[in-house]
């Protein structure tokens, strides 16, 4: 809106000169399937596979690449009852004829051509943008097909392109679903089954320039399609970092982070996305929502940045974001502390939060996850011997730790050498007050490395009738332990009822705040004796989420609502809150162009 | 049928009788099943320390210290002292020795301790990952001993048991009980805040962090009358709070019934019911009662109701998320949670009722009482056998597990030979002087000082009633329907329901029932009664079948209660509207004593019992016919006369004509008044 109160379809800030912009080489090609798995997580060359009865990890992108994992092999057999000699093969990549014909009228097709923005109606392009990474998505890819996929993919290359697209969609009764990195775990990029209008998947991947860098104020302006690893790589060469590292940051996009209120592993040092965001532009059917200045904070009525943050593709397309940057830290160091039990670990984390001396990242794995992590070490000799031989004996015999209750806190320190030393000292001091003993850097490092590798395990699991998924929540400190217990109990009882014999239910505390923390659950089960494994999984997760909420936890800390958690949205924000959201939607998108149906089921 | 049900019970004394050495068994290796297995087994002391460390207690200490200027350290010491008074302990050696002693005693006094083993094992299987609460009926001190012994036998952790303070002060026994897992709770009228906050936190601690089953009696106290009591909600609420506030994922309630052939305390109870106070629990008293144990007490039966899971019971109704905001220790119950807690308590008692075992002697007692009510003075053995048989059929029809097929009448009588005799003419009757009267310290009487004569003649009746009462829940509801139909002759369903609901409300403190206000239960009851051809129904309404003995039987066993309530109402009518609470019960007793003395018809001496009188006052209070009022230091019942008259009329129609006030002349001689 300009000063006359007239709605301006175009942004009122001048377009950047393209000479200032940094054209970032994108890691991910337009033909995503050339680099990424079409039906699973991550790079094609990186995956778990079974060779001679032993699990290996392939490729050289990750530190465990090209290594055999005998302990892990044993672990999956023991815990998940997997028979590695009987792999299950999934569907091949569908050929063009197998994909549904796009629903586009001739008129609409003409409109799209007229936009002069690259587009595709090829089946595989549309399929690659029809889903995120929920277990439902992946299972569907491997075993069947989606009921509805986008009809056309468009690749805008700048804010102006997006304005044109949204405008055309609004005028011609088409649907737009913004697509960033496609790492959503809430069903957010899926097409609503019963949407009969033309669905455009607006792929932001070609909108990935760093438009300018402001070293004085330590901010950069980026287009929303830039993905995490590209952003960091470019900034590192300039000596900076944003420091936003969700576990998906190799593949997820800036726009996606803003749209889902993402949280990065190192938020203690750098902040969550809402702390990093200084300015944002969102293109809606009614115009562009943005502020007129690039200030650190302002008092100006309710902050509409928070309508953009977490909008989950329902209100508009985020096109440009001004983000804070920091000088690269001089030093990066890992660490770990083992505790006799989860409760002591949580008490320690609480104390660390109280003293506000969190390092960049601090996480606590429960016993199940600790054991799992331990199993993911290659044959002894490579990663150090922390829990082998003498040290294991020391921990068990001398400290009286029980291997079945022990848990580990992993740490990542960043900063000047001196700062890091001080931080370390403080953390280990607090740790020892709660019965913790330092367990070395290697363990910490492995913990963080696993973060990126864990996502690859699901694909292995699905080859052997194991279905795995994670879900998260935030909770006040005083309820953290009981919440974990309750949820584990509920999942355990559900499994009993469903005759699920082999399953893993693990929890970890992944973030700390002044007033509470974040709990991340992993659940995986062997579905050999179950006919509808995904439905059963969803049923279990639903029970678990009910229990989370009854135990004082939230609907989600960072994954968002999407489609899979709509059930709990009204209860979370009150009836009036629902009205408010609906009114916002009605105001910004009266014809429901952004009909993804996230957060609240949109009327059709 | 039923006998089969009982045949599957296992007598846990059998192995003890046959094994080579009880001692070997007692000292066997134990690896008991916990309610809630923890990685690190919490010690009794750990619980106390955690309570002291808890935010709640620390905040209270802080506050009191600020308000009173008392040192925090001193207050912490006070809490610690309280915790030492409350906290249970666990000493295996004591448990084993006690186990040994109890084996010997058990073998001596009981013919059998019969347990529904299949159910128990199923329950044991469900244990391990959540708090479990055992809720036995409370008819005798033997209850918790039986429970602990059972757990010891079946390799289940001996529960943490809520015990009254009277045990606490018993020399040696107090600490023995503590060492076997008892924790102590003061009476609820004590209003020492620090004590109650500490106690609540202790319960919270053992529920959320403990590993043992918890055991307490929902009825709150030993039922002296043998009747199921209206449940108390205090401890149950404390136990439920961690569930409502999601400190625990679930909690399992196990209703348990213990039925005795003969209750150890029968004489004491009879006295107590009449107002002769119970002796303070003392260790010597306890050993004296041991010496009484030279007698035989027959069988006892332990059966288990279906476990009630908190999650299932409250699931979908209670939204625990309502407690998500503000700290857990500052959470209060919602109104809905309060009312559902009461519902759960009721449900527990109903389930205890369902798994009660009706002994042959219970049926004999019913038959004899019925017989006396009809003005007879004892009955022929053959008649008794016949009556017992059809009463048994009736009970079975209403779902009772009766002992009958496994125990014959003779042996049922043998255990009670001090109370019932068979004369040389083969007549079965109450023994005249069954209780050696002790000298009664009249200053300690809770009720009216009944004359020696009255005492002598009524005690056997009261004792007999102790064995009628355990079966009353199979009778009271049917009886209500019967007396309504006897009066109205023909009544439509809606009217019948209204009348029935009225009686239920009137007796809501007397008979625990799941039926109150429930249309479906009402329908069920009518169906059941129609099935035994007690009532009929056609388009014009409901009516009785031709008068028969079963109708009379139901009426006769119900009348004493109706009559007591009626008498009380009449006394209140004649008062000046303000009745001193302290003397009210005694006045009622003395009135009933007089009525019995001049009776023209049979008035059951059980009407004199203080239990029913107290229940009646509670009911009248609930119905807002009387209201408690404090004047100076005294408490008075303030009577709403108008409503009372109304009530009197409504009750009167259901009584036999001879029992109505115009027929019972001397009633006006006793007056209830504020001046008493
Ligand atoms: C293995 C794995 C690990 C993960 N770890 C984390 C983590 O640590 N922290 C965390 O916060 N999340 C995590 N996630 C979830 C996910 O990565 C985040 O939600 C992320 O922000 C999504 O970004 P994306 O670019 O992939 O968005 P997409 O999946 O493409 O889209 C997500 C939603 O945002 C909308 N959207 C995307 N771009 C735009 C735009 N430009 N304008 C408007 N709407 C848009 C979409 O329409 C959709 O509704 C993880 C996911 C996976 C699979």
């Amino acid at each position: 809106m300009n000063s006359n109160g007239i709605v301006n379809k175009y942004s009122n800030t001048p377009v950047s000169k393209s000479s200032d912009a940094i054209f970032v080489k994108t890691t991910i090609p337009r033909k995503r399937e050339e680099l990424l798995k079409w039906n699973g997580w991550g790079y094609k060359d990186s995956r778990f596979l079974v060779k001679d009865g032993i699990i290996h990890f392939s490729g050289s992108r990750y530190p465990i690449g090209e290594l055999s994992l005998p302990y892990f092999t044993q672990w999956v057999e023991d815990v998940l009852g997997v028979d590695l000699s009987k792999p299950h093969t999934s569907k091949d990549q569908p050929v063009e004829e197998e994909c549904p014909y796009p629903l586009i009228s001739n008129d609409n097709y003409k409109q799209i051509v007229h936009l002069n923005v690259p587009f595709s109606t090829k089946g595989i392009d549309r399929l690659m943008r029809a889903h995120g990474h929920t277990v439902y998505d992946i299972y569907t890819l491997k075993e069947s097909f989606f009921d509805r996929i986008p009809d056309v993919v468009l690749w805008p290359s700048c804010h102006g392109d997006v304005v044109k697209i949204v405008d055309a969609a609004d005028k011609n009764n088409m649907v737009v679903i913004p697509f960033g990195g496609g790492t959503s775990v809430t069903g957010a990029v899926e097409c609503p089954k019963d949407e009969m209008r033309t669905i455009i998947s607006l792929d932001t991947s070609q909108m990935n320039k760093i438009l300018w860098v402001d070293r004085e104020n330590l901010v950069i302006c980026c287009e929303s399609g830039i993905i995490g690893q590209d952003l960091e790589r470019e900034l590192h060469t300039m000596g900076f970092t944003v420091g936003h590292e969700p576990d998906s940051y190799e593949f997820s996009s800036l726009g996606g982070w803003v749209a889902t209120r993402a949280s990065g592993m190192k938020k203690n040092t750098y902040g969550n996305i809402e702390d990093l965001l200084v300015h944002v532009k969102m293109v809606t059917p009614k115009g562009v929502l943005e502020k007129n200045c690039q200030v650190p904070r302002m008092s100006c009525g309710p902050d509409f940045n928070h309508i953009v943050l977490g909008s989950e593709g329902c209100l508009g397309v985020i096109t440009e974001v001004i983000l804070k940057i920091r000088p690269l830290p001089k030093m990066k160091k890992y660490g770990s502390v083992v505790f006799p039990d989860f409760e002591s670990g949580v008490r320690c984390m609480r104390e660390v939060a109280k003293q506000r001396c969190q390092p960049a990242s601090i996480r606590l794995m429960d016993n199940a996850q600790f054991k799992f992590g331990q199993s993911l070490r290659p044959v002894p000799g490579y990663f150090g011997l922390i829990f082998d031989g003498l040290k294991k004996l020391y921990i068990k015999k001398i400290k009286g730790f029980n291997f079945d209750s022990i848990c580990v806190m992993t740490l990542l320190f960043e900063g000047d050498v001196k700062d890091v030393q001080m931080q370390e000292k403080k953390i280990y001091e607090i740790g020892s007050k709660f019965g913790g003993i330092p367990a070395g850097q290697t363990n910490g490092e492995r913990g963080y490395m696993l973060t990126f590798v864990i996502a690859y395990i699901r694909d292995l699991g699905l080859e052997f009738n194991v279905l795995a998924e994670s879900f998260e929540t935030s909770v006040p400190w005083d309820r953290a332990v009981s919440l974990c217990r309750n949820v584990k109990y509920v999942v355990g009882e559900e499994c009993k009822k469903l005759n699920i014999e082999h399953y893993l239910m693990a929890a970890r505390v992944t973030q700390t705040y002044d007033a509470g923390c974040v709990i991340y659950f992993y659940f995986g089960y062997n579905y050999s004796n179950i006919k509808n494994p995904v439905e059963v999984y969803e049923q279990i997760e639903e029970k678990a989420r009910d229990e989370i909420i009854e135990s004082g936890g939230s609907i989600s800390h960072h994954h968002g609502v999407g489609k899979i958690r709509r059930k709990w949205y009204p209860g979370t924000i009150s009836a009036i809150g629902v009205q408010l959201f609906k009114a916002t939607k009605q105001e910004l998108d009266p014809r429901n162009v952004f009909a993804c149906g996230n957060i609240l089921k949109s009327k059709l | 049928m039923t006998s089969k049900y009982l045949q599957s019970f296992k007598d846990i004394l059998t192995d003890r009788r046959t094994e080579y050495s009880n001692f070997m068994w007692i000292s066997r290796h134990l690896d008991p099943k916990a309610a809630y297995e923890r990685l690190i087994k919490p010690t009794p002391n750990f619980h106390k320390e955690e309570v002291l460390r808890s935010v709640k207690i620390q905040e209270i200490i802080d506050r009191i210290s600020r308000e009173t200027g008392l040192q925090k350290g001193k207050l912490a010491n006070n809490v610690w002292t309280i915790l030492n008074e409350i906290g249970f302990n666990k000493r295996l050696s004591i448990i084993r020795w006690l186990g040994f002693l109890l084996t010997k005693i058990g073998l001596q006094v009981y013919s059998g301790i019969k347990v529904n083993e299949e159910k128990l094992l199923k329950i044991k299987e469900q244990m391990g990952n959540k708090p479990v609460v055992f809720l036995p009926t409370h008819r005798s001190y033997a209850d918790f001993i039986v429970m602990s012994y059972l757990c010891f036998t079946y390799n289940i952790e001996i529960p943490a048991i809520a015990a009254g303070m009277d045990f606490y002060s018993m020399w040696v026994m107090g600490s023995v009980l503590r060492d076997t897992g008892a924790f102590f709770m003061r009476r609820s009228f004590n209003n020492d805040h620090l004590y109650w906050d500490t106690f609540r936190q202790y319960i919270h601690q053992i529920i959320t962090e403990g590993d043992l089953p918890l055991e307490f009696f929902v009825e709150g106290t030993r039922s002296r009358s043998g009747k199921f009591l209206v449940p108390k909600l205090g401890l149950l609420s404390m136990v439920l709070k961690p569930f409502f506030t999601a400190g625990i994922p679930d909690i399992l309630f196990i209703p348990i019934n213990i039925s005795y052939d003969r209750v150890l305390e029968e004489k004491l109870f009879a006295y107590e019911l009449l107002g002769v106070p119970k002796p303070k629990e003392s260790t010597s008293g306890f050993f004296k009662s041991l010496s009484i144990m030279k007698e035989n007490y027959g069988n006892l039966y332990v059966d288990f109701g279906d476990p009630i899971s908190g999650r299932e019971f409250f699931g979908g109704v209670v939204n625990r998320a309502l407690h998500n905001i503000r700290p857990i220790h500052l959470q209060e119950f919602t109104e809905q949670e309060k009312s559902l807690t009461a519902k759960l308590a009721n449900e527990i008692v109903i389930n205890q009722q369902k798994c009660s075992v009706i002994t042959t002697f219970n049926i004999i007692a019913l038959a004899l009482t019925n017989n006396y009510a009809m003005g007879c003075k004892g009955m022929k053995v053959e008649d008794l056998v016949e009556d017992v048989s059809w009463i048994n059929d009736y009970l079975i029809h209403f779902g009772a597990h009766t002992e009958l097929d496994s125990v014959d009448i003779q042996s049922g009588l043998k255990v009670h030979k001090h109370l019932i005799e068979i004369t040389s003419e083969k007549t079965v009757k109450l023994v005249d002087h069954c209780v050696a009267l002790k000298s009664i310290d009249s200053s300690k009487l809770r009720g009216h000082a009944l004359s020696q004569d009255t005492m002598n003649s009524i005690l056997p009746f009261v004792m007999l009633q102790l064995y009628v009462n355990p079966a009353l829940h199979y009778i009271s509801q049917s009886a209500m329907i019967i007396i309504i139909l006897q009066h109205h002759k023909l009544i439509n369903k809606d009217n019948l329901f209204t009348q029935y609901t009225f009686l239920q409300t009137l007796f809501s403190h007397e008979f625990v029932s799941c039926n109150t206000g429930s249309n479906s239960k009402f329908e069920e009851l009518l169906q059941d009664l129609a099935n035994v051809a007690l009532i009929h129904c056609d388009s014009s309404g409901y009516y009785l079948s031709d008068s028969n003995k079963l109708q009379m039987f139901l009426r006769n066993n119900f009348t004493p209660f109706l009559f007591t309530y009626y008498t009380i109402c009449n006394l209140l009518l004649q008062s000046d509207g303000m009745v001193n609470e302290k003397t009210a019960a005694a006045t009622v007793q003395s009135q009933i004593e007089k009525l019995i003395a001049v009776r023209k018809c049979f008035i059951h001496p059980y009407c004199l019992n203080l239990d029913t009188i107290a229940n009646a006052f509670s009911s009248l209070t609930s119905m807002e016919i009387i209201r408690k009022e404090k004047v100076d230091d005294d408490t008075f019942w303030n009577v709403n006369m108008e409503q009372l008259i109304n009530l009197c009329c409504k009750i009167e129609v259901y009584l036999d004509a001879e029992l109505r006030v115009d027929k019972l002349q001397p009633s006006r001689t006793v007056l209830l008044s504020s001046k008493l």
Side-chain angles (χ1 to χ4, degrees), chain B residues 72-100:
Chain B
K72 280 196 208 166
K74 192 163 173 329
L75 287 164
N77 279 343
N78 291 354
V79 172
W80 191 248
T81 309
I82 293 173
L83 281 168
N84 281 328
E85 176 193 302
I86 298 171
F88 71 82
N89 203 358
K90 187 129 272 198
R91 281 172 62 185
L92 199 55
S93 55
I94 301 277
I95 290 173
R96 289 192 198 272
W97 278 113
L98 205 63
F100 188 66

Side-chain angles (χ1 to χ4, degrees), chain A residues 178 180-184 188 246-248 253 256-257 259-260 262-263 312 316 318 558 598:
Chain A
T183 62
S184 160
D247 294 355
S248 60
S253 71
W257 300 339
T260 60
S263 169
E312 301 196 9
I318 295 146
H558 58 266
N598 297 334

Side-chain angles (χ1 to χ4, degrees), chain A residues 51-296:
Chain A
K51 256 198 298 205
D52 305 328
I54 303 286
I55 299 172
H56 288 66
F57 194 81
S58 70
S60 52
R61 292 178 193 268
Y62 301 94
I64 62 164
E66 303 300 356
L67 289 172
S68 85
L69 303 162
Y71 299 108
F72 181 54
T73 310
Q74 190 62 46
W75 183 90
V76 288
E77 286 169 350
D78 293 351
V79 176
L80 292 170
V82 160
D83 180 355
L84 289 176
S85 66
K86 291 190 190 133
H88 160 82
T89 35
S90 55
K91 267 181 49 177
D92 287 334
Q93 184 175 323
V95 293
E96 188 63 33
E97 296 75 61
E98 286 172 271
C99 298
Y101 202 73
L103 295 178
I104 313 181
S105 65
N106 285 340
D107 281 354
N108 279 348
Y109 191 81
K110 266 186 225 146
Q111 291 292 337
I112 285 167
V113 174
H114 187 69
L115 287 171
N116 204 17
V117 169
F119 73 93
S120 161
T121 51
K122 265 176 57 189
I124 185 66
D125 289 333
R126 295 186 289 127
L127 179 60
M128 287 302 282
R129 286 156 187 85
H131 65 85
H133 281 270
T134 62
V135 73
Y136 165 80
D137 292 337
I138 303 306
Y139 190 82
T140 305
L141 285 170
K142 292 192 201 257
E143 305 297 329
S144 57
F145 205 90
F146 294 104
D147 291 329
R148 184 84 171 88
I149 65 172
D151 302 304
V152 53
V153 180
L154 275 100
W155 284 277
S157 57
C158 63
H159 172 83
D161 284 352
V162 174
V163 172
K164 280 194 293 183
I165 297 169
V166 172
D167 202 39
D170 193 38
K171 290 206 173 97
N172 298 291
N173 201 23
M174 291 188 280
V175 170
V176 174
I177 298 183
F179 183 88
T183 62
S184 160
V185 282
T186 61
V189 293
E190 275 159 42
C191 303
K193 261 205 285 254
D194 32 14
E195 179 58 72
M196 298 323 282
R197 293 177 288 174
T198 299
I199 300 179
I200 299 170
S201 175
L202 187 153
D203 183 331
T204 60
S205 64
Q206 308 308 303
M207 278 185 7
N208 71 334
K209 296 183 278 299
I210 296 176
L211 294 173
W212 43 261
V213 180
D214 176 349
R215 287 166 208 256
E216 190 61 27
N217 294 306
L218 285 180
V219 296
I220 47 163
C221 181
C222 296
E223 288 181 320
S224 63
I226 191 163
I227 60 164
Q229 59 169 316
D230 293 345
L231 175 62
E232 286 298 329
R233 190 188 59 238
E234 287 302 321
L235 282 176
H236 287 192
T237 63
M238 294 181 251
F240 294 111
T241 178
V242 170
H244 183 68
E245 267 182 39
D247 294 355
S248 60
Y249 96 113
E250 297 165 280
F251 309 105
S252 54
S253 71
L254 172 55
W257 300 339
V258 174
T260 60
R261 287 181 77 88
S263 169
M265 178 169 88
K266 301 193 292 194
K267 75 95 192 153
N268 295 333
T269 306
Y270 301 99
N272 286 320
I273 195 68
E274 68 274 17
D275 309 312
L276 291 164
L277 182 143
V278 174
H279 183 273
V280 59
K281 272 189 204 173
M282 180 166 78
V283 177
T284 77
K286 284 281 198 73
V288 177
L289 180 66
E290 67 176 317
K291 290 177 185 166
N292 73 343
C293 51
Q294 172 199 317
V295 293

Side-chain angles (χ1 to χ4, degrees), chain B residues 489-523:
Chain B
K489 308 289 190 268
L490 179 69
I491 186 169
N492 71 28
K493 198 177 195 170
D494 288 350
N495 245 335
L496 179 56
F497 185 66
T498 313
Q499 296 301 318
Y500 173 57
T501 307
F502 160 69
L503 285 177
Q504 279 192 318
T505 314
L506 181 64
F507 289 106
S508 61
H509 292 254
E510 198 69 52
F511 308 114
V512 184
S513 143
C514 55
N515 294 14
T516 313
S518 154
N519 225 322
S520 61
K521 297 280 176 190
F522 169 67
E523 303 261 354

Side-chain angles (χ1 to χ4, degrees), chain B residues 471-490:
Chain B
L472 264 190
H473 55 280
Y474 291 114
I475 290 170
S476 55
Q477 304 303 314
S478 311
M480 289 180 197
I481 300 287
I482 298 302
I483 61 167
I484 295 168
L485 292 182
Q486 280 174 339
H487 171 68
H488 289 275
K489 308 289 190 268
L490 179 69

